[in-house]
């Protein structure tokens, strides 16, 4: 989609104090954002997070773009970004789907993939895998597949 992606660790636009803060606070909730100007869009993300978390963050931001969400995030009077639960849930769902389609989760369950296999082969977190098998009802689907083919 030719969308530029920038990490905050080496972003020359950000003051050093900001990047120092994120470098020393890896559990800070800032994950990413989209800067949009008409048709031009770019993603900025917290590359101090674990690489698997970064994959999820980037998929989430990309999902906002794919879903055509309003990228001009409203800001409250106190300076905080207004949060639209519906659009965030849509982006969470699609971002997770991009990383772990239902067929992939079904294959992992059928083949008894371990946590280590899932995290290393698919570069996603265990929490994301658990979310996907829950929302797709993969365990039930795997039982049905086994029953169909093993009698």
């Amino acid at each position: 989609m030719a969308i530029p992606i920038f990490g905050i660790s080496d972003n020359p636009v950000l003051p050093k104090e900001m990047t120092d803060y994120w470098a020393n606070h890896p559990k800070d909730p800032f994950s990413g954002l989209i800067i949009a100007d008409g048709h031009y869009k770019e993603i900025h993300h917290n590359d101090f997070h674990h690489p698997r978390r970064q994959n999820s963050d980037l998929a989430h931001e990309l999902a906002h773009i794919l879903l055509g969400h309003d990228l001009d995030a409203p800001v409250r009077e106190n300076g905080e970004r207004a949060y639209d639960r519906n659009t965030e849930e849509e982006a969470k769902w699609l971002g997770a789907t991009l990383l772990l389609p239902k067929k992939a989760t079904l294959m992992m369950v059928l083949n008894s993939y371990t946590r280590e296999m899932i995290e290393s082969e698919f570069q996603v977190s265990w929490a994301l895998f658990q979310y996907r098998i829950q929302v797709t009802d993969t365990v039930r689907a795997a039982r049905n597949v086994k029953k169909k083919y093993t009698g």
Side-chain angles (χ1 to χ4, degrees):
M1 293 184 66
I3 299 170
I5 297 172
F6 301 96
I8 60 172
S9 66
D10 60 356
N11 191 320
V13 176
L14 295 176
K16 184 175 178 346
E17 302 82 44
M18 289 178 79
T19 56
D20 287 348
Y21 171 81
W22 282 309
N24 294 308
H25 296 86
K27 294 188 184 219
D28 185 279
F30 171 72
S31 299
L33 59 86
I34 300 165
I35 295 176
D37 183 13
H39 293 292
Y40 177 80
K41 295 164 185 61
E42 61 187 37
I43 297 173
H44 294 259
H45 73 105
N46 188 344
D47 55 343
F48 291 110
H49 284 165
H50 190 281
R52 290 189 296 266
R53 166 76 185 269
Q54 291 179 54
N55 288 340
S56 179
D57 296 341
L58 290 170
H60 178 92
E61 297 304 328
L62 183 59
H64 279 298
I65 294 168
L66 292 170
L67 290 164
H69 288 161
D70 180 7
L71 301 176
D72 295 327
V75 178
R76 294 188 179 121
E77 288 182 20
N78 65 2
E80 291 178 359
R81 180 178 158 264
Y83 179 85
D84 182 342
R85 183 180 178 136
N86 289 335
T87 60
E88 290 303 319
E89 285 298 315
E90 284 179 346
K92 175 183 175 181
W93 183 87
L94 180 57
T97 303
L98 293 170
L99 293 171
L100 286 178
K102 183 174 181 175
K103 286 184 180 182
T105 60
L106 181 59
M107 183 269 309
M108 288 182 249
V109 170
L110 287 171
N111 291 293
S112 304
Y113 270 45
T114 65
R115 178 179 182 160
E116 293 76 24
M117 292 167 73
I118 292 163
E119 290 178 341
S120 68
E121 288 184 36
F122 288 85
Q123 290 301 300
V124 297
S125 69
W126 182 248
L128 181 70
F129 172 73
Q130 294 293 313
Y131 167 75
R132 285 297 293 155
I133 64 170
Q134 179 184 7
V135 299
T136 60
D137 200 14
T138 301
V139 173
R140 181 196 52 78
R143 273 196 309 266
N144 290 343
V145 168
K146 285 180 183 179
K147 189 184 303 180
K148 179 178 180 178
Y149 292 103
T150 60

